[in-house]
Amino acid sequence: MVHLIDTDILIDFFRKRPTAGEYLDSKGDWSYSVATAMELFAGANDKKQIAEMTRFLNAYSMLQLSPDIGARALDIIKGYSKADGIDPIDAILAATAIAGEMTLSTRNGKHFRNIKGLQLEIVRYPKESDAQH
């Protein structure tokens, strides 16, 4: 099954966390949401970092928003924002994964764990010191 990668894993990758890169490599052909790209670019330090991110992300499939994803995300916000603390971007990511029949890979299972119909992989990296030995 194709994986939709959450922003947190890509942030770890761009911060040069080796285990994040290993995880992404292990998934082969994965996708990301336009909402994830927006979060990454908004948090970039400068235009050089945006260019680096763009070069890397261009090798993978960016999934656009659609009316179906928007409607699903709205339903997710209505159903889960108070109990689970999900925010609009996370609702869009969950809706994108559900609509595309993909597994959402994230390090933050708390916001996503109760969403009906969502295939979820909660990623736990080994400690950096363990990975180097």
Side-chain angles (χ1 to χ4, degrees), residues 6 27 35 89 111 122 133:
D6 192 4
K27 293 299 148 196
I89 295 291
H111 294 160
I122 299 171
H133 296 299

Side-chain angles (χ1 to χ4, degrees), residues 58-122:
N58 280 343
Y60 300 93
S61 177
M62 181 172 69
L63 303 175
Q64 298 294 332
L65 302 179
S66 69
D68 179 50
I69 290 170
R72 288 175 191 253
L74 182 58
D75 287 343
I76 290 168
I77 284 290
K78 288 178 184 178
Y80 300 96
S81 67
K82 298 303 177 202
D84 295 313
I86 194 165
D87 65 32
I89 295 291
D90 286 344
I92 290 169
L93 296 178
T96 301
I98 293 168
E101 299 180 351
M102 295 179 279
T103 298
L104 177 62
S105 296
T106 183
R107 295 191 64 219
N108 183 6
K110 179 181 175 185
H111 294 160
F112 299 105
R113 66 178 173 227
N114 294 319
I115 298 173
K116 185 178 177 183
L118 178 63
Q119 297 295 317
L120 188 62
E121 180 179 16
I122 299 171

Side-chain angles (χ1 to χ4, degrees), residues 19 22 126-133:
T19 48
E22 291 166 11
K127 291 180 181 173
E128 297 294 336
S129 59
D130 293 345
Q132 293 174 0
H133 296 299

Side-chain angles (χ1 to χ4, degrees), residues 18-89:
T19 48
E22 291 166 11
Y23 175 78
L24 291 173
D25 287 345
S26 77
K27 293 299 148 196
D29 188 24
W30 49 266
S31 299
Y32 63 98
S33 169
V34 65
T36 292
M38 292 168 60
E39 283 189 303
L40 289 170
F41 298 149
N45 295 324
D46 52 34
K47 289 184 180 194
K48 181 180 176 186
Q49 190 174 35
I50 289 174
E52 173 191 347
M53 290 174 175
T54 300
R55 278 190 301 278
F56 176 76
L57 293 173
N58 280 343
Y60 300 93
S61 177
M62 181 172 69
L63 303 175
Q64 298 294 332
L65 302 179
S66 69
D68 179 50
I69 290 170
R72 288 175 191 253
L74 182 58
D75 287 343
I76 290 168
I77 284 290
K78 288 178 184 178
Y80 300 96
S81 67
K82 298 303 177 202
D84 295 313
I86 194 165
D87 65 32
I89 295 291

